[in-house]
Structures are given as C-alpha cells and as structure tokens.
Amino acid sequence: MQLTLNTATKLKAKPDQSKLGFGSFFTDHMFNMDYNLDDGWHNPRIEPYAPIQMDPATMMLHYGQGVFEGLKAYRTASDNIQLFRPRENFKRMNRSNRMVCIPEFDEEFALSALKQLLVLEKDWVPGLPETSLYIRPTIVATDPFLGVRASHTYRFFIILSPVGAYYAEGFNPVKIWVTKDHVRAVRGGVGMAKTPANYAASLFAAERAHKEGYSQVLWLDGVEQKYIEEVGSMNIFFVIDDMLVTPELSGSILPGITRDSVIRLARHWGLDVAERRIAIDELIDAHGSGRLTEIFGSGTAAVISPVGEIRYGDRKLTVGDDAVGPMARKLFDAIKNIQYGVAEDPLGWVESV
Ligand SMILES: *Cc1c(COP(=O)(O)O)cnc(C)c1O
C-alpha cells in the first residue's frame, strides 16, 4: 500500500507549552485510511487535520462500533523523538477490533504510517519536562445504515495532541471510590477492548465519585462485586507484605501496556509480582493489619498514579499515610526515564521515529 501525502498550506500557531493540559490541541495533519468489502483497507493518506463529514445515520454514532488506542511520542534531551512499545498498541487495537467485529489492519503498516506522520509533525512534540505528544489511533464504523449489525465500511484515523506534564502540581496521591452499585464490564463482554461502550458505561459512577470528592472509580468484578478489577482508565497495583500484587487479566480488565511494563520491570529487578484475584475484603484485612503499604494506578497518561485513600461504603482507608510510596516513586522514575531516553532501556522498549 502506498501512503499519499497532502500537506497543509497554512500551519496553526503552536500553543504555549506550559499551558497544554490534556487533549485540547491538535496538530496540523492526521492519518486517514478507509475500509470497504471490495478493497479491504485502502487509500492510506496523511492530510490536513480536518472534521470528518458524516451522514447522520453513520453506524458509529448509533451503535458505538469503534475502537481506539492511546500512546505518546517523547522528545529526548538530544532532540530525538521516540515511542514507547508502540507495537503493543497496534496489537491491542487489533485484539479490540476482533471483539467488536472490525476488520484487522496491518500493524507494521500502521506503525510506519504513524512514524511518517510524526516526522511531519515533529515540531509539535513539546520539549518541556514531562510533556509529550499524545497519539490517538481510532477506527469507526461508517455505513450510513440504521439496524444493528457490523458495518461494511470503516475509517481508521490517527490524530496527535500535544499534552502537558500530568503532574503539573506535583506527584501527589489521589483518592478513589469503590462502587458496589455499578459495574463497568462483565465476563464475556468487551471489558478488555478499548471500545467506546466501556467508557459510556463508566460515566455515571465516575460522576458520582467526583461529587463525593474522589478522582476515579475502582471497579469490582461484574458478577460477584467482590474482586478488584481496575480504575477508570488505569490498572491497579497493591504492595501487600512487600510484594507487588495486581488483579489477573480476567477478560473484563483492559490489559494495560503500562501494567505489563510495571510487571516486567519489577521482575527484571528481581521482585516478586503476583497476578491474581484480589477480593476487596482481603484488601481491607491487609489494610487493617498494616500489611497494605501502597496502592497505585498505571496507565499511559500518568504512568503511575499513587492512591492515598480508598473509600468503600462507609469505610475510608488511608494508605501509606497519604504520601507517595517508594515503589510508586521508583517505578514512575524508572519508566519515565526510559520513555524520555534519560536511562538505559534494559528491555528494549523505546523505538526512535
Ligand atoms: C487505556 C486503559 C488502561 C491503561 O492502558 P495503558 O496501555 O497502560 O495506557 C487501563 N484501563 C482502561 C479502562 C483503559 O482504557
């Protein structure tokens, strides 16, 4: 497949790097590619960033058949642009595709198209500490048709958004709220796919958590509401008896690439990591007996997000004196330093653009 390039005649003014926030600014160009039954994936192109014109009957708008990904490009001190485990994102995107009946694409081709887009947009990769260029590959169903079935046409696009330091106000713990009244995903459902339905299903509980003063929801399993699954857009880790523990991938948990990186790096350091079922009652017991010393989330946006308090029903558990624990700090620094090319890359995770 030949990638065509159509560059913008007028470029946007770049936003102030100290005021980027998250997901509000978009670069000058985007990648687009179409799918139909006769041609498969075809017409890959880089062109000016622009709205997508859609028929009001477009299936994505009604039935939510779509998938997305999230990764980042980092600027190193020597002005290289690099990606962190990008193949894992395209691999996961195809796994998500299979779960919602979207035709798979060529992962190597998508990665090379992304790299070409990044070369064109390299001036958009910010250089202030801990800033990055967020990358959002997306596929949406485009048949103009009312009726529930898999679409016969799709659009694959990649957009880029310069984002600020996640911890602009310091690397501080957050408070999370455990819900017994709502579930995000169930076994046999699409919880392990990065598909819009999961996020729509999470909003009601998330709003409730915000109203109560908590930043995210910690989900329990959808069957018994007994076992810990994950946080809104992060996986979750615990340090119990000095051992790193995280819920096993049950089918209803999103298999995070940061989660996998935490596990691999900790094992590389010689630490024990357990992937297993963890009941909320076990966590409360471990907290009560002082054996639960840290909780933190893992995800691309924050890398590591320390948790200082969890609320479950009427109980409020303060963890690690509401301060950042040593394990969270060590993993945060180590992964970030690999991403920005400050430290060695012992597991071969970064890829230059
Ligand atoms: C994206 C996501 C994560 C984290 O995945 P990473 O690959 O580490 O960014 C965790 N949970 C949910 C629900 C997600 O959407």
Side-chain angles (χ1 to χ4, degrees):
M1 258 192 310
Q2 191 63 39
L3 183 66
T4 59
L5 179 63
N6 167 19
T7 53
T9 47
K10 213 166 141 248
L11 302 183
K12 302 173 188 171
K14 305 271 190 306
D16 180 344
Q17 281 196 26
S18 64
K19 298 195 179 87
L20 290 172
F22 191 91
S24 304
F25 300 100
F26 300 96
T27 70
D28 294 304
H29 299 88
M30 66 189 293
F31 169 75
N32 280 305
M33 177 164 74
D34 299 309
Y35 179 92
N36 65 33
L37 294 177
D38 287 338
D39 304 314
W41 286 110
H42 66 283
N43 194 17
R45 57 205 186 272
I46 289 172
E47 52 196 355
Y49 184 98
I52 302 175
Q53 207 179 7
M54 283 190 180
D55 191 288
T58 297
M59 289 185 78
M60 171 66 197
L61 302 177
H62 300 269
Y63 311 115
Q65 192 195 9
V67 298
F68 66 94
E69 269 303 326
L71 67 160
K72 287 172 165 180
Y74 307 88
R75 185 179 290 279
T76 68
S78 50
D79 269 341
N80 280 326
I81 309 295
Q82 55 188 37
L83 297 164
F84 183 73
R85 308 186 74 187
R87 282 157 216 278
E88 297 300 319
N89 290 90
F90 289 120
K91 214 189 277 175
R92 182 172 67 190
M93 198 173 188
N94 264 336
R95 283 205 306 269
S96 297
N97 278 339
R98 290 197 287 275
M99 301 193 73
V100 295
C101 303
I102 294 175
E104 289 174 50
F105 59 86
D106 180 333
E107 292 162 23
E108 278 304 314
F109 180 80
L111 180 57
S112 74
L114 169 61
K115 286 183 178 176
Q116 288 189 57
L117 178 62
L118 288 168
V119 168
L120 184 65
E121 303 289 64
K122 62 180 186 311
D123 292 345
W124 281 93
V125 185
L128 285 185
E130 292 179 38
T131 61
S132 57
L133 186 67
Y134 185 75
I135 301 163
R136 171 52 60 87
T138 307
I139 300 177
V140 294
T142 51
D143 278 8
F145 175 72
L146 295 184
V148 179
R149 60 157 169 77
S151 180
H152 299 149
T153 61
Y154 298 89
R155 166 76 67 91
F156 183 152
F157 62 87
I158 303 176
I159 54 176
L160 308 174
S161 173
V163 299
Y166 191 89
Y167 292 106
E169 272 131 53
F171 188 47
N172 297 318
V174 298
K175 303 199 296 180
I176 55 176
W177 188 68
V178 187
T179 175
K180 284 190 285 190
D181 302 333
H182 318 275
V183 298
R184 171 186 175 272
V186 292
R187 273 206 297 279
V190 292
M192 63 173 277
K194 242 175 154 67
T195 188
N198 290 325
Y199 305 87
S202 74
L203 294 177
F204 188 86
E207 291 284 308
R208 239 184 103 181
H210 292 159
K211 277 195 202 106
E212 306 260 347
Y214 292 82
S215 67
Q216 297 217 35
V217 173
L218 177 61
W219 299 98
L220 301 179
D221 74 280
V223 181
E224 295 173 79
Q225 296 198 263
K226 196 170 156 187
Y227 299 101
I228 291 164
E229 296 244 298
E230 62 175 315
V231 191
S233 52
M234 293 191 294
N235 297 108
I236 189 102
F237 285 85
F238 307 96
V239 179
I240 302 174
D241 290 328
D242 295 322
M243 185 169 173
L244 207 47
V245 186
T246 192
E248 65 190 358
L249 297 176
S250 61
S252 49
I253 297 175
L254 203 286
I257 293 158
T258 319
R259 174 189 181 278
D260 184 73
S261 305
V262 165
I263 294 171
R264 285 176 196 271
L265 197 58
R267 287 185 178 148
H268 176 74
W269 291 337
L271 302 176
D272 273 337
V273 186
E275 294 177 75
R276 62 169 175 85
R277 292 214 294 193
I278 306 157
I280 183 75
D281 291 338
E282 176 190 341
L283 199 71
I284 291 168
D285 285 350
H287 178 265
S289 56
R291 294 178 299 121
L292 170 68
T293 48
E294 284 187 53
I295 304 182
F296 57 87
S298 70
T300 295
V303 185
I304 297 291
S305 180
V307 174
E309 180 189 314
I310 64 170
R311 158 100 172 264
Y312 179 58
D314 296 332
R315 282 203 175 88
K316 283 185 187 173
L317 315 184
T318 303
V319 186
D321 298 324
D322 198 18
V324 179
M327 185 67 84
R329 165 70 63 189
K330 185 172 177 195
L331 284 161
F332 178 67
D333 288 341
I335 294 174
K336 198 181 55 176
N337 288 342
I338 293 171
Q339 289 169 336
Y340 287 91
V342 172
E344 284 294 296
D345 176 21
L347 297 164
W349 285 339
V350 295
E351 202 164 310
S352 253
V353 166

